Amino acid sequence: WHFFSKGERSFAENWNASFDIDAVSDKNYLRTYDIEPEDELREANDILQPDRLESRLSLTRLTDNTYTDLSSFMFQSLREAEDNDYNARALPRLFHERRYRVPNVGGEITFSTNFLYLDREEGLDSLRLTGQTNYEKVYTTQNGHRLRGYAEFRADTYSYRDADQGTQVCRGDSISGIQSA
Protein backbone atom coordinates (compact mmCIF):
# COMPACT_ATOMS: atom_id res chain seq x y z
CA TRP A 1 0.00 0.00 0.00
CA HIS A 2 0.97 3.64 -0.33
CA PHE A 3 -0.46 6.80 1.17
CA PHE A 4 0.33 10.28 -0.18
CA SER A 5 -1.77 13.06 1.29
CA LYS A 6 -1.55 16.82 1.65
CA GLY A 7 -3.86 19.42 3.14
CA GLU A 8 -4.07 22.88 4.63
CA ARG A 9 -6.63 24.74 6.70
CA SER A 10 -6.75 28.33 7.94
CA PHE A 11 -8.31 29.25 11.26
CA ALA A 12 -9.21 32.46 13.04
CA GLU A 13 -6.53 34.85 14.31
CA ASN A 14 -3.97 33.99 11.60
CA TRP A 15 -3.53 30.31 12.53
CA ASN A 16 -2.86 27.80 9.76
CA ALA A 17 -2.67 23.99 10.04
CA SER A 18 -1.12 21.83 7.34
CA PHE A 19 -0.02 18.26 6.76
CA ASP A 20 1.93 16.41 4.11
CA ILE A 21 2.05 12.67 4.76
CA ASP A 22 3.90 10.20 2.52
CA ALA A 23 4.22 6.52 3.49
CA VAL A 24 4.56 3.11 1.85
CA SER A 25 4.14 -0.41 3.21
CA ASP A 26 7.70 -1.53 2.41
CA LYS A 27 10.93 -0.24 0.92
CA ASN A 28 10.41 -1.83 -2.53
CA TYR A 29 6.76 -0.91 -2.97
CA LEU A 30 7.25 2.07 -5.34
CA ARG A 31 9.67 0.11 -7.55
CA THR A 32 7.65 -3.11 -7.52
CA TYR A 33 4.45 -1.43 -8.68
CA ASP A 34 6.23 1.27 -10.75
CA ILE A 35 4.56 4.12 -8.88
CA GLU A 36 6.11 7.50 -9.49
CA PRO A 37 5.51 10.38 -7.12
CA GLU A 38 3.53 13.26 -8.57
CA ASP A 39 3.42 17.02 -8.15
CA GLU A 40 5.27 18.34 -5.12
CA LEU A 41 6.63 14.99 -3.93
CA ARG A 42 8.29 14.55 -7.31
CA GLU A 43 9.59 18.15 -7.32
CA ALA A 44 10.92 17.83 -3.77
CA ASN A 45 12.90 14.73 -4.65
CA ASP A 46 13.71 15.81 -8.22
CA ILE A 47 14.03 12.14 -9.19
CA LEU A 48 11.63 9.51 -10.48
CA GLN A 49 11.89 7.17 -7.49
CA PRO A 50 12.63 8.80 -4.12
CA ASP A 51 14.89 7.00 -1.65
CA ARG A 52 13.37 8.70 1.38
CA LEU A 53 9.85 9.89 2.23
CA GLU A 54 9.08 12.80 4.55
CA SER A 55 5.88 13.42 6.49
CA ARG A 56 5.11 16.75 8.16
CA LEU A 57 2.41 18.15 10.41
CA SER A 58 2.48 21.84 11.31
CA LEU A 59 0.58 24.59 13.02
CA THR A 60 1.68 28.15 12.23
CA ARG A 61 0.67 31.69 13.08
CA LEU A 62 1.88 34.83 11.33
CA THR A 63 1.04 38.37 12.44
CA ASP A 64 2.66 41.74 11.80
CA ASN A 65 5.18 41.25 14.63
CA THR A 66 5.23 37.52 15.39
CA TYR A 67 5.78 34.17 13.75
CA THR A 68 5.11 30.85 15.47
CA ASP A 69 5.63 27.38 13.98
CA LEU A 70 4.96 24.10 15.76
CA SER A 71 5.90 21.18 13.51
CA SER A 72 6.54 17.48 13.55
CA PHE A 73 8.62 15.62 10.93
CA MET A 74 8.98 11.90 10.29
CA PHE A 75 11.11 10.12 7.68
CA GLN A 76 10.88 6.73 6.00
CA SER A 77 13.93 5.42 4.19
CA LEU A 78 13.44 3.33 1.06
CA ARG A 79 17.13 2.34 0.90
CA GLU A 80 17.77 -1.38 1.31
CA ALA A 81 20.78 -1.02 3.61
CA GLU A 82 19.24 1.65 5.86
CA ASP A 83 17.33 0.72 9.00
CA ASN A 84 14.31 3.00 9.62
CA ASP A 85 14.76 2.57 13.37
CA TYR A 86 17.72 4.97 13.09
CA ASN A 87 15.77 7.68 11.22
CA ALA A 88 14.94 10.70 13.34
CA ARG A 89 11.49 12.03 14.12
CA ALA A 90 11.25 15.69 15.07
CA LEU A 91 8.70 15.58 17.86
CA PRO A 92 8.30 18.56 18.07
CA ARG A 93 10.09 21.45 16.44
CA LEU A 94 8.96 24.77 17.87
CA PHE A 95 10.02 28.18 16.58
CA HIS A 96 8.73 31.54 17.87
CA GLU A 97 9.89 35.00 16.88
CA ARG A 98 8.74 38.45 18.03
CA ARG A 99 9.83 41.83 16.61
CA TYR A 100 9.72 45.20 18.36
CA ARG A 101 10.44 48.67 17.04
CA VAL A 102 12.75 50.67 19.33
CA PRO A 103 11.07 54.11 19.49
CA ASN A 104 13.75 56.50 20.87
CA VAL A 105 16.85 54.88 19.38
CA GLY A 106 15.30 53.58 16.19
CA GLY A 107 15.80 50.21 14.62
CA GLU A 108 14.26 46.88 15.43
CA ILE A 109 14.92 44.24 18.07
CA THR A 110 13.95 40.60 17.52
CA PHE A 111 13.65 37.83 20.10
CA SER A 112 13.45 34.22 18.91
CA THR A 113 13.34 30.79 20.47
CA ASN A 114 13.84 27.45 18.75
CA PHE A 115 13.28 24.04 20.34
CA LEU A 116 13.92 20.72 18.58
CA TYR A 117 13.68 17.17 19.89
CA LEU A 118 14.92 14.39 17.59
CA ASP A 119 13.78 10.92 18.63
CA ARG A 120 14.80 7.56 17.17
CA GLU A 121 13.71 3.98 17.86
CA GLU A 122 17.42 3.06 17.92
CA GLY A 123 20.43 5.34 18.19
CA LEU A 124 21.08 8.92 19.15
CA ASP A 125 18.26 11.09 20.52
CA SER A 126 18.94 14.79 20.83
CA LEU A 127 17.38 17.95 22.20
CA ARG A 128 18.34 21.50 21.25
CA LEU A 129 17.13 24.80 22.68
CA THR A 130 18.22 28.09 21.14
CA GLY A 131 17.50 31.62 22.27
CA GLN A 132 18.49 34.58 20.13
CA THR A 133 18.24 38.37 20.28
CA ASN A 134 19.03 40.63 17.31
CA TYR A 135 19.16 44.39 16.99
CA GLU A 136 19.24 46.09 13.58
CA LYS A 137 19.15 49.69 12.53
CA VAL A 138 19.37 50.95 8.97
CA TYR A 139 20.34 54.56 8.32
CA THR A 140 20.31 56.25 4.91
CA THR A 141 22.48 59.37 4.51
CA GLN A 142 21.39 62.44 2.56
CA ASN A 143 23.68 61.32 -0.27
CA GLY A 144 21.88 57.97 -0.51
CA HIS A 145 24.41 55.79 1.31
CA ARG A 146 22.79 53.04 3.31
CA LEU A 147 24.42 52.05 6.60
CA ARG A 148 23.34 49.05 8.60
CA GLY A 149 24.16 48.40 12.24
CA TYR A 150 23.60 44.90 13.54
CA ALA A 151 24.18 43.05 16.82
CA GLU A 152 23.29 39.50 17.81
CA PHE A 153 23.37 37.46 20.98
CA ARG A 154 22.67 33.72 20.81
CA ALA A 155 22.72 30.89 23.32
CA ASP A 156 22.34 27.17 22.55
CA THR A 157 22.02 24.19 24.80
CA TYR A 158 22.11 20.54 23.72
CA SER A 159 21.31 17.25 25.35
CA TYR A 160 22.02 13.77 23.95
CA ARG A 161 20.77 10.32 24.89
CA ASP A 162 22.12 6.99 23.62
CA ALA A 163 25.12 8.73 22.00
CA ASP A 164 26.98 5.40 21.87
CA GLN A 165 24.30 4.06 19.47
CA GLY A 166 24.07 7.03 17.12
CA THR A 167 26.50 6.28 14.31
CA GLN A 168 25.93 2.68 13.20
CA VAL A 169 24.06 3.53 10.00
CA CYS A 170 26.39 6.41 9.13
CA ARG A 171 29.50 4.25 9.41
CA GLY A 172 27.97 1.10 7.91
CA ASP A 173 28.59 -0.95 11.08
CA SER A 174 26.39 -3.84 12.05
CA ILE A 175 22.92 -3.53 10.53
CA SER A 176 20.54 -6.45 10.92
CA GLY A 177 23.42 -8.88 11.39
CA ILE A 178 25.45 -7.69 8.37
CA GLN A 179 29.00 -6.75 9.28
CA SER A 180 31.05 -4.26 7.28
CA ALA A 181 34.62 -5.06 6.27
Side-chain angles (χ1 to χ4, degrees):
W1 57 263
H2 71 278
F3 183 80
F4 299 143
S5 178
K6 182 174 183 164
E8 189 171 322
R9 164 101 191 205
S10 295
F11 298 97
E13 300 183 30
N14 302 317
W15 284 100
N16 187 45
S18 64
F19 66 90
D20 187 353
I21 300 172
D22 301 320
V24 294
S25 58
D26 63 80
K27 293 181 179 195
N28 292 315
Y29 179 84
L30 295 177
R31 282 188 297 273
T32 301
Y33 296 102
D34 197 27
I35 295 174
E36 294 182 9
E38 297 178 4
D39 302 325
E40 293 179 16
L41 179 59
R42 183 179 209 157
E43 291 172 18
N45 290 292
D46 196 33
I47 56 176
L48 296 178
Q49 293 289 339
D51 64 352
R52 196 168 296 210
L53 299 176
E54 176 184 321
S55 295
R56 176 187 51 81
L57 304 168
S58 67
L59 182 64
T60 58
R61 182 171 191 240
L62 178 64
T63 67
D64 291 339
N65 296 317
T66 64
Y67 175 71
T68 304
D69 177 42
L70 176 61
S71 299
S72 177
F73 292 89
M74 291 169 269
F75 303 94
Q76 181 181 9
S77 174
L78 303 178
R79 297 175 182 175
E80 283 300 319
E82 193 169 82
D83 186 348
N84 276 309
D85 288 347
Y86 288 93
N87 283 341
R89 295 179 301 263
L91 302 167
R93 181 187 73 175
L94 174 63
F95 178 79
H96 180 72
E97 180 177 272
R98 171 97 180 157
R99 292 188 186 103
Y100 298 94
R101 298 245 180 247
V102 183
N104 296 333
V105 181
E108 185 176 270
I109 191 164
T110 304
F111 297 101
S112 63
T113 303
N114 188 327
F115 172 82
L116 175 65
Y117 177 65
L118 295 176
D119 176 58
R120 293 173 175 86
E121 291 290 324
E122 298 289 332
L124 178 70
D125 296 336
S126 64
L127 180 137
R128 182 194 75 216
L129 178 63
T130 301
Q132 186 170 326
T133 302
N134 300 330
Y135 172 75
E136 179 178 17
K137 181 175 181 179
V138 177
Y139 177 75
T140 305
T141 67
Q142 291 179 347
N143 294 330
H145 296 92
R146 186 171 183 226
L147 306 172
R148 178 179 172 250
Y150 182 82
E152 176 180 300
F153 174 76
R154 177 178 167 148
D156 296 276
T157 184
Y158 296 88
S159 176
Y160 299 100
R161 188 178 67 208
D162 298 330
D164 61 326
Q165 298 179 34
T167 59
Q168 282 94 345
V169 171
C170 297
R171 290 194 323 246
D173 291 352
S174 176
I175 301 172
S176 302
I178 300 171
Q179 296 290 328
S180 62

